[in-house]
Amino acid sequence: DIQMTQSPSSLSASVGDRVTITCRASQNISRYLNWYQQKPGKVPKALIYAKSNLHGGVPSRFSGRGSGTDFTLTISSLQPEDFATYYCQQSYGNPRTFGQGTNVEVK
Amino acid sequence: QVQLQQWGAGLLKPSETLSLTCGVYGGSFGGYYWNWIRQSPGKGLEWIGEINYLGTTSYNPSLKSRVTISVDTSKIQFSLKLTSVTAADTAVYYCATLAVADGFDVWGQGTMVTVSS
């Protein structure tokens, strides 16, 4: 199985901060990396697919980079609605696997 | 635009079989893989398995002995069965597609399944 490791597990930030979350795969997954946002009690929302492509309606303050084993999700200027948990997920091979999540909370 | 709507029993006793179905509305059924994912209370996301319209499946090895995913192309829906459930199977279960290279990523509304005696 491909293990996905996110860091940090949680972070505290303020509105307007630049936030970066890292996701590392245990083997090369090329560009097949997705990012999701989840708020309590809600369905995960797809943000980014294939490492850097924004889904429709996702604000441009979100961006994804990386390739191979190391990937990042950056929020350029954190907004109040961005406080949530973020998950990476690899679609390179089966079983599909998710990172453990990064909780972005109010500082 | 494709929407997924799921249904099934939300309360089970230990040793019973979990059964959920997901209907696909408003788009093509073929050419994609249809997934089941679960999330235990306060925990992360766990992939259960997937199926395509031809019935080709892949399962999470950790659940493979208890899981069956099937497809009904005439009804444009796919289903999950998980046998011999225990309290550890208590979770919100989602049906979903997961984007690969094309950005096709849609989730059902989720079903809370509780296993309790």
Side-chain angles (χ1 to χ4, degrees):
Chain A
D1 298 6
I2 300 173
Q3 306 301 318
M4 306 300 293
T5 304
Q6 287 181 234
S7 61
S9 295
S10 66
L11 65 90
S12 299
S14 302
V15 172
D17 285 353
R18 182 181 182 88
V19 169
T20 298
I21 299 167
T22 297
C23 179
R24 174 165 288 175
S26 60
Q27 67 183 70
N28 188 336
I29 60 169
S30 184
R31 60 190 178 99
Y32 298 107
L33 191 282
N34 301 327
W35 288 99
Y36 297 89
Q37 176 195 67
Q38 188 180 33
K39 297 180 180 179
K42 300 297 186 182
V43 178
K45 174 186 176 182
L47 296 177
I48 289 172
Y49 67 96
K51 83 170 184 179
S52 60
N53 298 278
L54 264 62
H55 283 278
V58 174
S60 59
R61 63 181 179 272
F62 290 91
S63 64
R65 297 187 64 179
S67 66
T69 60
D70 295 316
F71 301 86
T72 58
L73 171 70
T74 297
I75 309 171
S76 61
S77 178
L78 196 67
Q79 297 303 299
E81 59 269 30
D82 300 336
F83 293 101
T85 300
Y86 293 84
Y87 294 95
C88 62
Q89 177 258 323
Q90 62 82 17
S91 285
Y92 180 81
N94 285 340
R96 302 295 198 228
T97 44
F98 292 85
Q100 81 277 16
T102 295
N103 182 33
V104 178
E105 58 185 19
V106 177
K107 190 171 186 179
Chain B
Q1 183 167 346
V2 174
Q3 294 186 342
L4 304 182
Q5 185 162 359
Q6 57 185 102
W7 62 90
L11 181 61
L12 297 172
K13 291 181 167 50
S15 80
E16 291 185 334
T17 295
L18 180 156
S19 182
L20 298 173
T21 299
C22 183
V24 181
Y25 304 95
S28 174
F29 196 49
Y32 299 106
Y33 276 86
W34 305 92
N35 299 261
W36 288 100
I37 295 153
R38 72 180 183 178
Q39 186 171 36
S40 300
K43 303 296 185 183
L45 298 161
E46 180 181 27
W47 183 77
I48 299 170
E50 67 181 13
I51 192 167
N52 69 4
Y53 76 107
L54 297 174
T56 303
T57 55
S58 180
Y59 299 130
N60 191 324
S62 68
L63 296 168
K64 187 174 183 177
S65 63
R66 298 193 291 131
V67 172
T68 302
I69 298 176
S70 59
V71 65
D72 186 334
T73 54
S74 66
K75 295 182 179 179
I76 317 180
Q77 62 190 33
F78 59 106
S79 298
L80 169 69
K81 290 191 186 303
L82 180 67
T83 62
S84 305
V85 297
T86 70
D89 296 310
T90 294
V92 177
Y93 287 75
Y94 297 100
C95 58
T97 67
L98 294 174
V100 180
D102 61 0
F104 185 55
D105 203 301
V106 184
W107 291 61
Q109 79 274 23
T111 301
M112 179 68 210
V113 176
T114 301
V115 181
S116 175
S117 55

